[in-house]
Every structure is written in structure tokens, then in C-alpha cells.
Amino acid sequence: MEGQHKHPIWAKLVGYAAFCVVILILPLFITDDYLLNKLARYLVFGLVAMALSISWGYAGILNLGQAVSFGLGSYCMAMALKLRTIPIQTGAEGLPDFMVWNNVKSLPWFWEPFHSYGFAIAAGVLVPTILALLIGTFVFRARVTGVYVSIITLALLVVINLVVIDRQRLTGGFNGLTDLAPLELFGLTFDPYAHATYYLIAVSLGAALFLGLAVVHSKTGLIMQAIRDDENRVRYFGYDVAAYQTFALCLSAAVAGFAGMLYTLVMAFASPTFLAVPVSLSIVIWSAVGGRASLLGSAMGAIIVTGVQGSLSDTPAFLETWTLIMGALFIIVVLFLPRGLISLVDRIPLGGSARRRAAAATGAASRSGINAG
Amino acid sequence: MPARAVATTGAILELRDITVEFAGFVAIAGLTLDVHEGELRCLIGPNGAGKTTALDVICGKVKPASGKVVLGGREITRLEEHQIARHGVGRKFQVPSVFRDLTVRQNMEVALCRAPGVLGNLFRFGNSGASEQLEKLAELVGLEEAMDVAAGALSHGQTQWLEIALLLAQDARLILMDEPTAGMTAHETAKTAELFNRLKGRHTLIVVEHDMGFIKEISDIISVMHQGRLLAEGTVREIETNAEVRAAYLGSGGISGA
């Protein structure tokens, strides 16, 4: 805490806006579609890390099942796209290919509504949100806290992952959902290498950052932070702590589900590996490295870590050692910057706030208040 | 002792025949206590008398095995903590607990619980017109220069003051204080006494305290607890000369030395 400046809200807004401008003008300087696709993926990771920051950084809920929301969102989008794919063997009105291979005779009931894009997109957000609502209600009403919440969410992730892999006839199993048609919406085609896809993701991330900023600066956001500090004390001021915790978990799940849908667009498939423990743990690492108590910090943490990871693993010299280097980086950041890379920015003194402090000090002195302590 | 009829005494708070057990250990055994509106009641007693547990029962932290808690004519015994808080009960714990990562101003905004709903509060920004009220409170407890300081950076004494400011911001009808002067200097204790005397009348206070000097400064009526029951009730003079109270404190240097 000491030696840090709490930046005023306008400074944050400028920072967030600058970030949005940068990600929006980046495609102007990139001619390589493959690189653009990679960047789009990093931005999706930024979005899902930002989502974790809402629950972990602000409300103190370390959700190790974040990949559940991400994966479910991804599958919702993939199911809609799979139904738009014309199967080679069975023709236009035929079943998706993997169902044919698994001797499924007719489309399972829960696949039916995914013929509609509107339904699929709503489901990609609502399914994770409703699941979070259920989990949150049970866990937080029972006053489960801290590491036990993490264990429960992690266990849930493992269970859902196993179910998805096991129900191959319905979910595509270990192979996931592949061979997807590109999303066509508003006359645009969102294939993985299209500029439209990149812009959709960049605009989504920007919008989510600003909406998230509005939430964490609202009174609800303040109560969430108070709960993170001392949840029992909040209770005795008359707030229903479980309701606030459940809200944080749901909002985080909704954003992560949306990120999952975007990830399907940028990868052109959905896989049980999206809905697995390594993804969940990666999200935690991204958020921790960037700064879990900052939405922008978490997003940038994801982009930086996955960016460095991508370039290291592409460089022949680091082919064998890149995971080691990433591990070392993580340890260094956690040891020396426990509030993440964003705390470096927080240390920059702003002319404005310094002036304000000086003015406040003289103002207080002239009022000659009593001095306690 | 059979439970008497409720709401006949005109008291704001009525405890009726409260019993609390922790895994076989009886912490409170049939406690009955009335506190009247605007009163400042001190609750004293030797260690283990059940004073803090009594406060826990009132604010809902501990649910009694039997008995009734009635606040302003409404039974609150089985309500959850936040519901009891919404009925106008504020609590200060023995260990200072403030929100360390939030600034003093933010701490007070949390305490100012006008609308407790999640969704309504999503559209509430800043302190919605209460800024002046918060500044005044900060001035009252001498924290006006520290409004934008993180609470974790305050001294022990300042933290105690912030907690009192939080209770005032919460504006509870009934304020429960557990050893508010613990760890305070003589000067700070005197200032706290002055503040409490100002609160009397507008708020109803129950204060668990050991410092007899402080109690004499603030209290009208003292309730003495011993072994989970009410032992005696009366003015400072009456309590100091009460034979039963002397016996209860025997071996611990008498009431003034406790």
C-alpha cells in the first residue's frame, strides 16, 4: 500500500481509453492475417482475465472454475455454427458429422434451439450466469469462504469437463466441435482471420472494460471491495453479503461466457481443453501478473503473458525452455509486485493529484481540526 | 424464570430469558435485560460472564438456544445479521475491524447503508449528496485530514475512531460497543467519553467496558453480569456497594480493579 498513489477516476478513464485506441488502431499496422488472429486470441484472453478480476480482485472470490463459463460460452457458439455447417456425408438437412459417426438418429433436444443465432448468443452468456447463480446461492448462503470456494469451483470444473468428454454422442467428446461454419451476422462474416472478427473482439473488450469500470466504481463495487476486506463487518452494516458475492460471481461468469463465444470464432472450433483446469489456472496467473485488483491490469496481464508465451514458444532457441521462463517470470512478479504489473503504473505520481493533496493539506491546516492518534 | 409478556416495559431492547450454549458450555443462562430508548447502558462483569456473547445474541452473530430478543416491539431473535442491522442495530467489535484497503471516505460510504440492494446500488455513484455529512462525521472524530488515506495506514487510535465514525454513519438506533477504549491513551479515552455523552439521548448504547473511570464518566445505569446471568443493576454508587457484586469480583481486586 505505502508509496502508492490512488489515481483519480479521470486518470483511469484516460488510461482505459488509451488502451482501447491502441487495440482498435493496431490492425492498421498489421498486414499478416495470421498475426492478427493471434492478437485477437490474446484479446479474448484479456477479456476472460478481466472477468476474473471482477470476482477475485474486487470481491475476493478466487474462482478456479472460470474455465467453466469460458468453455460453456465457447460450446454455445460452436453448437450454433456446427448446425450451419453442411455435413459432407448427409447433406444440407443432415445431422452434424460426429453424431452420424456415433449412430445418433435424430438431433438431441437441447441442440434444436441452437438453429437460432439469437438463442445461441443469449445462451452463451446466460448458461454460465445461471450456473454461477446456482453455485453462488448455495456456496455463499452457506457462508463458505476463501479457499473452500476455490476448491468447490475447481471440482465443478473437473466434473463438467468429464461430462463433456464422456457424452461424446452429444458433445463431440474429446474431439470437441470442429469443422464449423463462420458466423455470419449483420452482413459480416466473422471467420478467424477476418478483420471483422478482430474488431468485434477489440470492441467487446473495450466495452467490457468500461462497463466493468462503471460497476466497480458504483456503490455495489464499493461493497464488493469491502466484502473482500472483511465480509463479516459488511454484514453488520445491513448488507446481504451473499447477494453481493453471488452478483460478482454471475457478472464474472457472464463476461467469461461471452469471451468463450468469441474464442470459438477466433479458433474455429470448441474443445474440452477450453473447459479444463489448465485454462482456469492460466486465467488466474494472467490476472495475478497483470494485477488482480485492476480490470485493465488483468486484461493486459493476459495479453502480455500469452504474447510472450507465443513468441517464446515460436522461437527455436526457447522451444525447450519457454515454460520454465514463464514460470520464473510469474514467480518474480508475484514476489516483487504482489499487486501485479499495474502497480508500476500506480506508482507514477500525477501532477494533478499532487496538487490536490497539497491543497487538501493547507485547507485542513487552516481549519485547525483536532488531531487524533 | 418464565418468560414475561413482551412489550410491556416500554424498553427499546428486551432480552427475555436468553440461554446460549457452546458445545455443552453454558455461556448465558437465562439472561433478562431491558434497555430504554436514549439510554447509555454499561455492561460489566468478570471475565467469562457472557458480556460479549450477550452482544453477539443481540446482533444475530450467535443464535440463542432459547429466549427472545425484542427490538422496538419486534422480535428479531431468529433474523440474519444483515436483517437485524437493517432494523437499526450497529455493532463495534473488540478487535478493530475496518476495511483496510479502502480509504476513510470509502469506509464511511459503506457504513452509510441507505439502500442495501445489489442492483439498485449498481446505479449509485460517489456518495450521492452525503459528502457534507461524511465530512462532518470525520471532523467529529478528528479524521477530516485523512479522508483519502487507506484505513490500513491509520494508527491504532485512529482506527478506533474510524470505527466509531462508521457506527455514526450507519446511524443505528441501538449501538453495541465491545470495549471501545481498549488500547486508547488517557487523552483519547477522555475524548471518547465526551463523544459518548453527546450520543446519549439520540442513540441507545450498550457498552461493554472494564475501565471503571470511563464508566463513571458516561454511564447512568450499570448492569453487572456473572456466570451468564444478570447479577445486579443500578447506578455506579449502588453497584460499588453491592455485596453480591463484591463477592463475584472476589479475588480479582474488586470491581475497580477488574
Side-chain angles (χ1 to χ4, degrees):
Chain A
M1 280 313 301
E2 284 75 19
Q4 268 188 41
H5 306 276
K6 287 247 173 189
H7 286 170
I9 181 69
W10 64 262
K12 268 193 187 174
L13 286 171
V14 169
Y16 278 55
F19 173 80
C20 291
V21 168
V22 168
I23 61 172
L24 284 173
I25 62 170
L26 256 181
L28 301 178
F29 306 100
I30 291 170
T31 48
D32 180 4
D33 285 346
Y34 174 70
L35 183 59
L36 194 67
N37 172 265
K38 270 216 290 196
L39 282 174
R41 268 175 53 206
Y42 300 159
L43 296 190
V44 173
F45 293 146
L47 186 57
V48 74
M50 176 237 134
L52 183 69
S53 167
I54 295 172
S55 68
W56 186 27
Y58 281 91
I61 306 159
L62 176 51
N63 177 5
L64 289 183
Q66 192 77 346
V68 169
S69 306
F70 188 68
L72 288 177
S74 166
Y75 269 87
C76 284
M77 177 56 82
M79 284 163 79
L81 299 179
K82 188 71 190 166
L83 291 177
R84 302 282 165 129
T85 315
I86 298 171
I88 303 165
Q89 297 104 320
T90 48
E93 289 302 303
L95 286 174
D97 48 14
F98 74 89
M99 292 188 189
V100 178
W101 303 332
N102 285 293
N103 283 323
V104 177
K105 297 295 175 226
S106 63
L107 197 64
W109 61 269
F110 69 92
W111 274 76
E112 284 294 346
F114 284 88
H115 281 294
S116 147
Y117 274 152
F119 179 88
I121 291 168
V125 173
L126 288 179
V127 170
T129 309
I130 291 167
L131 189 62
L133 185 68
L134 287 174
I135 300 295
T137 305
F138 282 116
V139 168
F140 298 128
R141 288 277 161 228
R143 305 239 173 125
V144 176
T145 55
V147 66
Y148 300 101
V149 178
S150 306
I151 292 170
I152 290 170
T153 51
L154 186 66
L156 178 79
L157 169 61
V158 172
V159 167
I160 293 183
N161 180 265
L162 285 177
V163 169
V164 168
I165 292 174
D166 186 60
R167 300 286 107 180
Q168 187 169 338
R169 292 154 54 87
L170 309 175
T171 62
F174 197 75
N175 300 320
L177 299 174
T178 53
D179 185 25
L180 303 180
L183 174 68
E184 281 167 24
L185 216 55
F186 312 121
L188 292 167
T189 304
F190 297 97
D191 80 68
Y193 298 97
H195 275 61
T197 308
Y198 178 89
Y199 281 117
L200 173 67
I201 290 167
V203 168
S204 302
L205 177 56
L209 281 172
F210 277 100
L211 279 176
L213 200 58
V215 170
V216 299
H217 279 271
S218 72
K219 178 110 188 210
T220 297
L222 184 65
I223 308 302
M224 276 159 52
Q225 295 171 67
I227 290 170
R228 177 193 64 197
D229 271 13
D230 189 341
E231 70 171 77
N232 276 317
R233 193 70 195 88
V234 176
R235 217 162 258 142
Y236 296 107
F237 285 126
Y239 299 99
D240 184 355
V241 168
Y244 279 85
Q245 290 172 318
T246 306
F247 170 78
L249 196 68
C250 286
L251 182 62
S252 174
V255 176
F258 194 79
M261 286 199 282
L262 296 175
Y263 199 58
T264 294
L265 296 185
V266 86
M267 298 299 284
F269 69 96
S271 150
T273 55
F274 299 175
L275 209 158
V277 174
V279 174
S280 252
L281 298 184
S282 297
I283 299 169
V284 172
I285 290 175
W286 300 333
S287 183
V289 168
R292 64 176 188 266
S294 162
L295 303 174
L296 183 59
S298 294
M300 285 173 58
I303 295 165
I304 291 167
V305 172
T306 51
V308 172
Q309 202 169 311
S311 47
L312 278 182
S313 60
D314 277 355
T315 313
F318 297 114
L319 211 53
E320 307 281 325
T321 51
W322 69 269
T323 45
L324 211 62
I325 296 172
M326 292 310 299
L329 275 179
F330 175 62
I331 292 172
I332 289 169
V333 169
V334 169
L335 276 182
F336 296 104
L337 291 170
R339 281 169 183 254
L341 293 171
I342 198 77
S343 60
L344 294 174
V345 179
D346 286 339
R347 286 180 188 177
I348 302 170
L350 284 176
S353 65
R355 267 201 306 278
R356 243 165 35 112
R357 261 196 302 281
T362 47
S366 66
R367 265 183 280 128
S368 72
I370 14 168
N371 214 336
Chain B
M1 194 192 319
R4 276 176 275 163
V6 158
T8 52
T9 54
I12 182 174
L13 178 79
E14 302 163 40
L15 298 186
R16 287 286 167 272
D17 215 10
I18 299 284
T19 303
V20 176
E21 281 183 37
F22 297 117
F25 169 73
V26 180
I28 296 189
L31 174 67
T32 292
L33 185 75
D34 284 342
V35 179
H36 293 270
E37 181 112 47
E39 191 186 339
L40 193 161
R41 177 70 60 94
C42 277
L43 201 54
I44 66 169
N47 284 333
K51 307 176 298 276
T52 298
T53 310
L55 297 191
D56 286 347
V57 167
I58 299 168
C59 74
K61 189 181 178 205
V62 167
K63 302 286 176 232
S66 65
K68 254 187 198 182
V69 183
V70 178
L71 178 75
R74 292 164 87 169
E75 186 173 345
I76 58 168
T77 323
R78 303 280 150 200
L79 296 184
E80 283 193 58
E81 291 103 312
H82 69 268
Q83 293 169 321
I84 293 176
R86 284 181 208 170
H87 275 94
V89 176
R91 171 83 193 260
K92 182 195 172 299
F93 289 90
Q94 206 167 348
V95 180
S97 54
V98 295
F99 308 114
R100 300 177 58 82
D101 274 353
L102 304 184
T103 64
V104 168
R105 186 191 304 277
Q106 286 176 320
N107 266 275
M108 300 210 298
E109 280 167 20
V110 172
L112 200 69
C113 179
R114 288 198 178 137
V118 181
L119 297 177
N121 279 335
L122 266 183
F123 302 99
R124 219 164 260 125
F125 295 94
N127 39 38
S128 36
S131 183
E132 208 171 306
Q133 187 193 344
L134 296 187
E135 298 275 349
K136 263 189 195 156
L137 274 177
E139 222 166 299
L140 186 67
V141 296
L143 285 173
E144 72 272 24
E145 287 169 55
M147 284 297 262
D148 294 309
V149 173
L154 297 178
S155 71
H156 180 78
Q158 283 177 316
T159 309
Q160 295 268 36
W161 282 110
L162 175 57
E163 271 217 280
I164 290 170
L166 295 185
L167 283 172
L168 298 180
Q170 187 186 1
D171 200 24
R173 272 200 293 174
L174 174 67
I175 301 178
L176 312 174
M177 303 254 196
D178 205 349
E179 300 200 23
T181 64
M184 279 193 176
T185 63
H187 172 72
E188 284 168 347
T189 305
K191 214 182 127 194
T192 311
E194 184 197 315
L195 179 67
F196 278 26
N197 280 323
R198 256 196 277 178
L199 294 178
K200 230 192 298 189
R202 286 199 300 123
H203 301 266
T204 310
L205 293 97
I206 301 179
V207 181
V208 167
E209 205 26 278
H210 284 296
D211 181 346
M212 273 315 280
F214 179 68
I215 291 170
K216 281 177 192 164
E217 286 289 317
I218 58 168
S219 191
D220 309 318
I221 296 182
I222 301 175
S223 297
V224 186
M225 282 184 73
H226 182 51
Q227 290 176 348
R229 259 171 301 140
L230 191 65
L231 184 68
E233 213 165 71
T235 62
V236 176
R237 185 171 297 274
E238 286 165 4
I239 293 299
E240 275 180 327
T241 53
N242 185 306
E244 269 189 293
V245 175
R246 278 168 180 266
Y249 274 96
L250 202 66
S252 59
I255 187 168
S256 302

